[in-house]
Amino acid sequence: RSETALDWFRRAQISSRGEDANDSTVAAWSFARGNTGISFVDEAIKISQHPTKNSISESQAAFLEITGNRASRSLVLTSLAARFVVTTRSSKFRSAPSQSGVESPPQVILIDSLHSFSIPRLVSMVRSKLLLEMPHVQSEAVIDQEVEECLKRVHFVFLTDFTTTIASLEALRIKLRRMDLTANIVLWDGFLSVFADKTSKIEVIRQLVRLWHGTTTLIIVASHQKTLMLDKYATCQISFWRKDSESLLYLANVSGKEFAVQVGKAGILS
């Protein structure tokens, strides 16, 4: 069975209002429109949909900025990556054949400019999240297969110089445009941290905004402090930090609203 892009979009909109998704592409759109399961990220996405100077259209995903120290930023982005691939895994919808006609499943692109991401940590989060969602599965082989299927859709990109960054963002834009019937996510830690001059930073932002405007992609960039040059593009900003060095409690601030969240093996829990 095939369907038009309009039919798919209408199904995705139903899912984004909280109803059950029936295939991975609709689940991906629901995630990108504010059903990540991480309370403060969902709040930021929903704020992005309000009519403001930087609000997004119904067919567009959000462009968020997270500030905090390296460990805190990495925790949020890795948690989001794990949740996304587990939520959109194909086995979850095998009982109901996909109606979207989309061959490429939803993808996660982790852009790392500071070597902040830990692959073992991501694997651990994916496995822990799967165990929470599949409590009756006793076979380690089945869990291993699910972990592998999820991790195949996570792509690490290391960008540390201007020329490679511009070329990579353009190649990524072209690739994601071919997948425009599904939502994907781009998570970038150390955003603009390796570029010293203002001209390079402006060009990188311009290229990233082209990618955002030309695709159905949730973009979340993270850095130590707010990027003033992003003010005209970012749909919402998030501050995230650990309450104290001995605690597993983290705090987030979104437009003056504070959230307290716990962290477990599966990453951020709420």
Side-chain angles (χ1 to χ4, degrees):
R1 174 180 171 176
S2 63
E3 65 179 345
T4 67
L6 179 59
D7 291 335
W8 174 88
F9 178 69
R10 285 171 176 165
R11 289 194 301 109
Q13 285 295 93
I14 290 172
S15 177
S16 72
R17 292 194 293 268
E19 300 180 27
D20 290 339
N22 61 1
D23 65 38
S24 60
T25 60
V26 177
W29 180 253
S30 175
F31 188 101
R33 292 293 288 184
N35 291 295
T36 70
I38 297 178
S39 56
F40 59 88
V41 176
D42 291 343
E43 177 72 11
I45 292 174
K46 286 164 185 174
I47 287 173
S48 300
Q49 297 164 14
H50 294 167
T52 62
K53 65 171 184 175
N54 288 1
S55 61
I56 56 179
S57 68
E58 289 188 348
S59 60
Q60 192 175 20
F63 188 139
L64 307 180
E65 182 182 27
I66 297 175
T67 58
N69 63 36
R70 186 184 297 191
S72 298
R73 299 189 316 255
S74 176
L75 173 61
V76 178
L77 299 184
T78 308
S79 296
L80 282 166
R83 281 176 173 268
F84 184 75
V85 292
V86 170
T87 299
T88 60
R89 68 190 189 280
S90 60
S91 64
K92 192 173 181 180
F93 309 100
R94 244 167 232 158
S95 59
S98 172
Q99 299 175 339
S100 64
V102 180
E103 293 183 1
S104 299
Q107 308 288 313
V108 177
I109 295 88
L110 288 172
I111 301 177
D112 194 350
S113 295
L114 297 172
H115 300 281
S116 301
F117 293 114
S118 164
I119 294 177
R121 187 184 201 186
L122 173 64
V123 174
S124 175
M125 285 187 184
V126 169
R127 174 176 283 276
S128 297
K129 183 66 176 167
L130 283 167
L131 290 171
L132 288 173
E133 290 207 358
M134 305 168 65
H136 303 299
V137 175
Q138 302 297 320
S139 170
E140 284 294 319
V142 171
I143 296 297
D144 288 343
Q145 186 177 2
E146 292 287 341
V147 170
E148 182 178 343
E149 191 277 331
C150 288
L151 294 176
K152 283 179 179 177
R153 296 185 289 116
V154 181
H155 309 275
F156 284 89
V157 181
F158 298 96
L159 299 180
T160 57
D161 67 84
F162 176 74
T163 303
T164 302
T165 297
I166 296 299
S168 297
L169 290 176
E170 178 61 13
L172 188 57
R173 183 183 70 85
I174 294 170
K175 176 70 174 177
L176 293 178
R177 280 191 68 182
R178 296 174 186 155
M179 301 173 58
D180 212 29
L181 278 183
T182 189
N184 302 285
I185 60 174
V186 171
L187 308 170
W188 188 343
D189 193 30
F191 180 62
L192 298 183
S193 60
V194 296
F195 308 113
D197 62 289
K198 184 177 180 180
T199 302
S200 295
K201 292 180 179 180
I202 291 173
E203 184 60 24
V204 170
I205 291 173
R206 187 190 72 81
Q207 190 65 43
L208 185 61
V209 170
R210 280 190 74 210
L211 185 159
W212 178 47
H213 283 162
T215 64
T216 309
T217 305
L218 171 62
I219 294 180
I220 303 179
V221 299
S223 54
H224 181 65
Q225 57 187 6
K226 181 179 177 181
T227 307
L228 294 178
M229 286 183 284
L230 270 185
D231 272 355
K232 64 186 292 187
Y233 304 112
T235 57
C236 196
Q237 274 95 19
I238 300 169
S239 299
F240 186 73
W241 67 97
R242 192 172 189 172
K243 185 176 181 182
D244 59 68
S245 59
E246 304 299 322
S247 173
L248 291 178
L249 184 68
Y250 285 76
L251 301 175
N253 187 290
V254 182
S255 296
K257 185 175 180 179
E258 194 166 282
F259 296 79
V261 295
Q262 294 280 349
V263 174
K265 290 183 179 179
I268 295 173
L269 299 178
S270 62

